[in-house]
PDB file of all heavy atoms in Angstrom:
ATOM      1  N   LEU A1090      -0.123  -8.981  33.425  1.00  0.00           N
ATOM      2  CA  LEU A1090      -0.021  -9.568  34.759  1.00  0.00           C
ATOM      3  C   LEU A1090       1.403  -9.480  35.301  1.00  0.00           C
ATOM      4  O   LEU A1090       1.609  -9.201  36.488  1.00  0.00           O
ATOM      5  CB  LEU A1090      -0.479 -11.028  34.707  1.00  0.00           C
ATOM      6  CG  LEU A1090      -1.986 -11.231  34.746  1.00  0.00           C
ATOM      7  CD1 LEU A1090      -2.359 -12.626  34.271  1.00  0.00           C
ATOM      8  CD2 LEU A1090      -2.511 -10.989  36.163  1.00  0.00           C
ATOM      9  N   ALA A1091       2.389  -9.712  34.444  1.00  0.00           N
ATOM     10  CA  ALA A1091       3.784  -9.615  34.890  1.00  0.00           C
ATOM     11  C   ALA A1091       4.105  -8.199  35.353  1.00  0.00           C
ATOM     12  O   ALA A1091       4.765  -7.996  36.381  1.00  0.00           O
ATOM     13  CB  ALA A1091       4.718 -10.041  33.758  1.00  0.00           C
ATOM     14  N   TRP A1092       3.628  -7.197  34.605  1.00  0.00           N
ATOM     15  CA  TRP A1092       3.858  -5.803  35.022  1.00  0.00           C
ATOM     16  C   TRP A1092       3.133  -5.495  36.332  1.00  0.00           C
ATOM     17  O   TRP A1092       3.650  -4.743  37.174  1.00  0.00           O
ATOM     18  CB  TRP A1092       3.418  -4.843  33.931  1.00  0.00           C
ATOM     19  CG  TRP A1092       4.379  -4.673  32.797  1.00  0.00           C
ATOM     20  CD1 TRP A1092       4.130  -4.878  31.468  1.00  0.00           C
ATOM     21  CD2 TRP A1092       5.746  -4.241  32.878  1.00  0.00           C
ATOM     22  NE1 TRP A1092       5.257  -4.613  30.728  1.00  0.00           N
ATOM     23  CE2 TRP A1092       6.263  -4.205  31.559  1.00  0.00           C
ATOM     24  CE3 TRP A1092       6.581  -3.878  33.935  1.00  0.00           C
ATOM     25  CZ2 TRP A1092       7.574  -3.832  31.278  1.00  0.00           C
ATOM     26  CZ3 TRP A1092       7.899  -3.504  33.661  1.00  0.00           C
ATOM     27  CH2 TRP A1092       8.378  -3.486  32.344  1.00  0.00           C
ATOM     28  N   ALA A1093       1.943  -6.066  36.533  1.00  0.00           N
ATOM     29  CA  ALA A1093       1.223  -5.847  37.787  1.00  0.00           C
ATOM     30  C   ALA A1093       2.032  -6.378  38.969  1.00  0.00           C
ATOM     31  O   ALA A1093       2.168  -5.697  40.007  1.00  0.00           O
ATOM     32  CB  ALA A1093      -0.152  -6.517  37.734  1.00  0.00           C
ATOM     33  N   LEU A1094       2.599  -7.580  38.843  1.00  0.00           N
ATOM     34  CA  LEU A1094       3.436  -8.119  39.911  1.00  0.00           C
ATOM     35  C   LEU A1094       4.702  -7.297  40.086  1.00  0.00           C
ATOM     36  O   LEU A1094       5.151  -7.042  41.219  1.00  0.00           O
ATOM     37  CB  LEU A1094       3.781  -9.576  39.609  1.00  0.00           C
ATOM     38  CG  LEU A1094       2.613 -10.568  39.610  1.00  0.00           C
ATOM     39  CD1 LEU A1094       3.114 -11.975  39.355  1.00  0.00           C
ATOM     40  CD2 LEU A1094       1.835 -10.505  40.916  1.00  0.00           C
ATOM     41  N   HIS A1095       5.304  -6.882  38.971  1.00  0.00           N
ATOM     42  CA  HIS A1095       6.510  -6.056  39.020  1.00  0.00           C
ATOM     43  C   HIS A1095       6.270  -4.807  39.855  1.00  0.00           C
ATOM     44  O   HIS A1095       7.120  -4.404  40.680  1.00  0.00           O
ATOM     45  CB  HIS A1095       6.925  -5.667  37.592  1.00  0.00           C
ATOM     46  CG  HIS A1095       8.035  -4.677  37.519  1.00  0.00           C
ATOM     47  ND1 HIS A1095       7.815  -3.311  37.566  1.00  0.00           N
ATOM     48  CD2 HIS A1095       9.373  -4.829  37.377  1.00  0.00           C
ATOM     49  CE1 HIS A1095       8.966  -2.677  37.472  1.00  0.00           C
ATOM     50  NE2 HIS A1095       9.931  -3.570  37.353  1.00  0.00           N
ATOM     51  N   GLU A1096       5.121  -4.157  39.674  1.00  0.00           N
ATOM     52  CA  GLU A1096       4.828  -2.931  40.413  1.00  0.00           C
ATOM     53  C   GLU A1096       4.433  -3.224  41.859  1.00  0.00           C
ATOM     54  O   GLU A1096       4.863  -2.522  42.784  1.00  0.00           O
ATOM     55  CB  GLU A1096       3.714  -2.150  39.710  1.00  0.00           C
ATOM     56  CG  GLU A1096       4.085  -1.658  38.322  1.00  0.00           C
ATOM     57  CD  GLU A1096       5.305  -0.751  38.321  1.00  0.00           C
ATOM     58  OE1 GLU A1096       5.443   0.073  39.257  1.00  0.00           O
ATOM     59  OE2 GLU A1096       6.148  -0.883  37.407  1.00  0.00           O
ATOM     60  N   LEU A1097       3.638  -4.252  42.084  1.00  0.00           N
ATOM     61  CA  LEU A1097       3.196  -4.562  43.438  1.00  0.00           C
ATOM     62  C   LEU A1097       4.357  -4.886  44.367  1.00  0.00           C
ATOM     63  O   LEU A1097       4.408  -4.407  45.509  1.00  0.00           O
ATOM     64  CB  LEU A1097       2.222  -5.745  43.411  1.00  0.00           C
ATOM     65  CG  LEU A1097       0.771  -5.458  43.020  1.00  0.00           C
ATOM     66  CD1 LEU A1097      -0.025  -6.761  42.945  1.00  0.00           C
ATOM     67  CD2 LEU A1097       0.107  -4.499  44.011  1.00  0.00           C
ATOM     68  N   VAL A1098       5.299  -5.706  43.907  1.00  0.00           N
ATOM     69  CA  VAL A1098       6.372  -6.135  44.812  1.00  0.00           C
ATOM     70  C   VAL A1098       7.333  -5.001  45.146  1.00  0.00           C
ATOM     71  O   VAL A1098       8.108  -5.125  46.104  1.00  0.00           O
ATOM     72  CB  VAL A1098       7.156  -7.340  44.235  1.00  0.00           C
ATOM     73  CG1 VAL A1098       6.244  -8.539  44.060  1.00  0.00           C
ATOM     74  CG2 VAL A1098       7.853  -6.986  42.920  1.00  0.00           C
ATOM     75  N   ARG A1099       7.282  -3.903  44.422  1.00  0.00           N
ATOM     76  CA  ARG A1099       8.131  -2.753  44.710  1.00  0.00           C
ATOM     77  C   ARG A1099       7.401  -1.658  45.481  1.00  0.00           C
ATOM     78  O   ARG A1099       7.927  -0.563  45.667  1.00  0.00           O
ATOM     79  CB  ARG A1099       8.717  -2.193  43.399  1.00  0.00           C
ATOM     80  CG  ARG A1099       9.817  -3.098  42.845  1.00  0.00           C
ATOM     81  CD  ARG A1099      10.259  -2.747  41.456  1.00  0.00           C
ATOM     82  NE  ARG A1099      11.394  -3.577  41.067  1.00  0.00           N
ATOM     83  CZ  ARG A1099      11.296  -4.855  40.658  1.00  0.00           C
ATOM     84  NH1 ARG A1099      10.102  -5.415  40.560  1.00  0.00           N
ATOM     85  NH2 ARG A1099      12.375  -5.550  40.357  1.00  0.00           N
ATOM     86  N   ASP A1100       6.186  -1.957  45.918  1.00  0.00           N
ATOM     87  CA  ASP A1100       5.400  -1.009  46.710  1.00  0.00           C
ATOM     88  C   ASP A1100       4.726  -1.777  47.843  1.00  0.00           C
ATOM     89  O   ASP A1100       3.619  -2.295  47.684  1.00  0.00           O
ATOM     90  CB  ASP A1100       4.357  -0.324  45.828  1.00  0.00           C
ATOM     91  CG  ASP A1100       3.680   0.844  46.525  1.00  0.00           C
ATOM     92  OD1 ASP A1100       3.463   0.761  47.747  1.00  0.00           O
ATOM     93  OD2 ASP A1100       3.366   1.838  45.837  1.00  0.00           O
ATOM     94  N   PRO A1101       5.387  -1.889  49.006  1.00  0.00           N
ATOM     95  CA  PRO A1101       4.854  -2.721  50.099  1.00  0.00           C
ATOM     96  C   PRO A1101       3.434  -2.345  50.520  1.00  0.00           C
ATOM     97  O   PRO A1101       2.639  -3.233  50.835  1.00  0.00           O
ATOM     98  CB  PRO A1101       5.856  -2.474  51.237  1.00  0.00           C
ATOM     99  CG  PRO A1101       7.135  -2.115  50.544  1.00  0.00           C
ATOM    100  CD  PRO A1101       6.726  -1.338  49.325  1.00  0.00           C
ATOM    101  N   ALA A1102       3.107  -1.045  50.512  1.00  0.00           N
ATOM    102  CA  ALA A1102       1.766  -0.635  50.927  1.00  0.00           C
ATOM    103  C   ALA A1102       0.708  -1.136  49.944  1.00  0.00           C
ATOM    104  O   ALA A1102      -0.347  -1.657  50.349  1.00  0.00           O
ATOM    105  CB  ALA A1102       1.700   0.892  51.058  1.00  0.00           C
ATOM    106  N   GLU A1103       0.978  -0.986  48.655  1.00  0.00           N
ATOM    107  CA  GLU A1103       0.015  -1.453  47.658  1.00  0.00           C
ATOM    108  C   GLU A1103      -0.062  -2.982  47.643  1.00  0.00           C
ATOM    109  O   GLU A1103      -1.131  -3.557  47.444  1.00  0.00           O
ATOM    110  CB  GLU A1103       0.387  -0.930  46.265  1.00  0.00           C
ATOM    111  CG  GLU A1103       0.247   0.571  46.092  1.00  0.00           C
ATOM    112  CD  GLU A1103      -1.193   1.056  46.196  1.00  0.00           C
ATOM    113  OE1 GLU A1103      -2.124   0.230  46.277  1.00  0.00           O
ATOM    114  OE2 GLU A1103      -1.390   2.290  46.208  1.00  0.00           O
ATOM    115  N   LEU A1104       1.074  -3.641  47.868  1.00  0.00           N
ATOM    116  CA  LEU A1104       1.069  -5.099  47.926  1.00  0.00           C
ATOM    117  C   LEU A1104       0.218  -5.590  49.095  1.00  0.00           C
ATOM    118  O   LEU A1104      -0.575  -6.536  48.958  1.00  0.00           O
ATOM    119  CB  LEU A1104       2.494  -5.633  48.056  1.00  0.00           C
ATOM    120  CG  LEU A1104       2.645  -7.153  48.174  1.00  0.00           C
ATOM    121  CD1 LEU A1104       2.046  -7.864  46.960  1.00  0.00           C
ATOM    122  CD2 LEU A1104       4.128  -7.533  48.341  1.00  0.00           C
ATOM    123  N   ALA A1105       0.361  -4.930  50.262  1.00  0.00           N
ATOM    124  CA  ALA A1105      -0.437  -5.315  51.432  1.00  0.00           C
ATOM    125  C   ALA A1105      -1.922  -5.105  51.163  1.00  0.00           C
ATOM    126  O   ALA A1105      -2.764  -5.926  51.548  1.00  0.00           O
ATOM    127  CB  ALA A1105       0.012  -4.516  52.649  1.00  0.00           C
ATOM    128  N   ARG A1106      -2.255  -3.995  50.505  1.00  0.00           N
ATOM    129  CA  ARG A1106      -3.661  -3.728  50.211  1.00  0.00           C
ATOM    130  C   ARG A1106      -4.202  -4.757  49.209  1.00  0.00           C
ATOM    131  O   ARG A1106      -5.334  -5.213  49.339  1.00  0.00           O
ATOM    132  CB  ARG A1106      -3.824  -2.312  49.666  1.00  0.00           C
ATOM    133  CG  ARG A1106      -5.271  -1.913  49.482  1.00  0.00           C
ATOM    134  CD  ARG A1106      -5.450  -0.441  49.195  1.00  0.00           C
ATOM    135  NE  ARG A1106      -6.854  -0.122  49.000  1.00  0.00           N
ATOM    136  CZ  ARG A1106      -7.316   1.083  48.681  1.00  0.00           C
ATOM    137  NH1 ARG A1106      -6.465   2.086  48.527  1.00  0.00           N
ATOM    138  NH2 ARG A1106      -8.611   1.292  48.507  1.00  0.00           N
ATOM    139  N   ALA A1107      -3.403  -5.117  48.219  1.00  0.00           N
ATOM    140  CA  ALA A1107      -3.839  -6.111  47.242  1.00  0.00           C
ATOM    141  C   ALA A1107      -4.008  -7.480  47.896  1.00  0.00           C
ATOM    142  O   ALA A1107      -4.955  -8.218  47.582  1.00  0.00           O
ATOM    143  CB  ALA A1107      -2.830  -6.188  46.096  1.00  0.00           C
ATOM    144  N   ARG A1108      -3.108  -7.827  48.817  1.00  0.00           N
ATOM    145  CA  ARG A1108      -3.238  -9.109  49.523  1.00  0.00           C
ATOM    146  C   ARG A1108      -4.520  -9.125  50.351  1.00  0.00           C
ATOM    147  O   ARG A1108      -5.241 -10.130  50.385  1.00  0.00           O
ATOM    148  CB  ARG A1108      -2.023  -9.321  50.425  1.00  0.00           C
ATOM    149  CG  ARG A1108      -2.004 -10.685  51.117  1.00  0.00           C
ATOM    150  CD  ARG A1108      -0.869 -10.804  52.117  1.00  0.00           C
ATOM    151  NE  ARG A1108       0.415 -10.623  51.484  1.00  0.00           N
ATOM    152  CZ  ARG A1108       1.264  -9.628  51.743  1.00  0.00           C
ATOM    153  NH1 ARG A1108       0.930  -8.702  52.649  1.00  0.00           N
ATOM    154  NH2 ARG A1108       2.423  -9.545  51.143  1.00  0.00           N
ATOM    155  N   LYS A1109      -4.809  -8.016  51.017  1.00  0.00           N
ATOM    156  CA  LYS A1109      -6.047  -7.916  51.800  1.00  0.00           C
ATOM    157  C   LYS A1109      -7.276  -8.052  50.889  1.00  0.00           C
ATOM    158  O   LYS A1109      -8.248  -8.728  51.231  1.00  0.00           O
ATOM    159  CB  LYS A1109      -6.070  -6.575  52.537  1.00  0.00           C
ATOM    160  CG  LYS A1109      -7.263  -6.363  53.457  1.00  0.00           C
ATOM    161  CD  LYS A1109      -7.066  -5.069  54.262  1.00  0.00           C
ATOM    162  CE  LYS A1109      -8.204  -4.869  55.276  1.00  0.00           C
ATOM    163  NZ  LYS A1109      -9.471  -4.505  54.626  1.00  0.00           N
ATOM    164  N   ALA A1110      -7.200  -7.427  49.727  1.00  0.00           N
ATOM    165  CA  ALA A1110      -8.314  -7.523  48.780  1.00  0.00           C
ATOM    166  C   ALA A1110      -8.511  -8.967  48.316  1.00  0.00           C
ATOM    167  O   ALA A1110      -9.642  -9.439  48.178  1.00  0.00           O
ATOM    168  CB  ALA A1110      -8.053  -6.611  47.579  1.00  0.00           C
ATOM    169  N   ALA A1111      -7.406  -9.677  48.071  1.00  0.00           N
ATOM    170  CA  ALA A1111      -7.504 -11.078  47.655  1.00  0.00           C
ATOM    171  C   ALA A1111      -8.149 -11.920  48.754  1.00  0.00           C
ATOM    172  O   ALA A1111      -9.003 -12.779  48.480  1.00  0.00           O
ATOM    173  CB  ALA A1111      -6.119 -11.622  47.308  1.00  0.00           C
ATOM    174  N   ASP A1112      -7.749 -11.692  50.011  1.00  0.00           N
ATOM    175  CA  ASP A1112      -8.299 -12.456  51.127  1.00  0.00           C
ATOM    176  C   ASP A1112      -9.788 -12.188  51.312  1.00  0.00           C
ATOM    177  O   ASP A1112     -10.554 -13.084  51.685  1.00  0.00           O
ATOM    178  CB  ASP A1112      -7.555 -12.110  52.416  1.00  0.00           C
ATOM    179  CG  ASP A1112      -6.122 -12.625  52.427  1.00  0.00           C
ATOM    180  OD1 ASP A1112      -5.804 -13.510  51.596  1.00  0.00           O
ATOM    181  OD2 ASP A1112      -5.318 -12.136  53.249  1.00  0.00           O
ATOM    182  N   GLU A1113     -10.208 -10.958  51.071  1.00  0.00           N
ATOM    183  CA  GLU A1113     -11.595 -10.557  51.327  1.00  0.00           C
ATOM    184  C   GLU A1113     -12.485 -10.655  50.092  1.00  0.00           C
ATOM    185  O   GLU A1113     -13.678 -10.328  50.157  1.00  0.00           O
ATOM    186  CB  GLU A1113     -11.613  -9.127  51.875  1.00  0.00           C
ATOM    187  CG  GLU A1113     -10.907  -8.993  53.221  1.00  0.00           C
ATOM    188  CD  GLU A1113     -10.861  -7.563  53.732  1.00  0.00           C
ATOM    189  OE1 GLU A1113     -11.296  -6.653  52.965  1.00  0.00           O
ATOM    190  OE2 GLU A1113     -10.414  -7.343  54.874  1.00  0.00           O
TER     191      GLU A1113
END
Side-chain angles (χ1 to χ4, degrees):
L1090 279 163
W1092 281 123
L1094 294 182
H1095 172 274
E1096 296 301 321
L1097 280 176
V1098 298
R1099 286 170 174 78
D1100 190 325
E1103 292 295 353
L1104 178 59
R1106 186 169 179 183
R1108 185 186 301 116
K1109 183 173 184 288
D1112 291 343
E1113 297 177 354

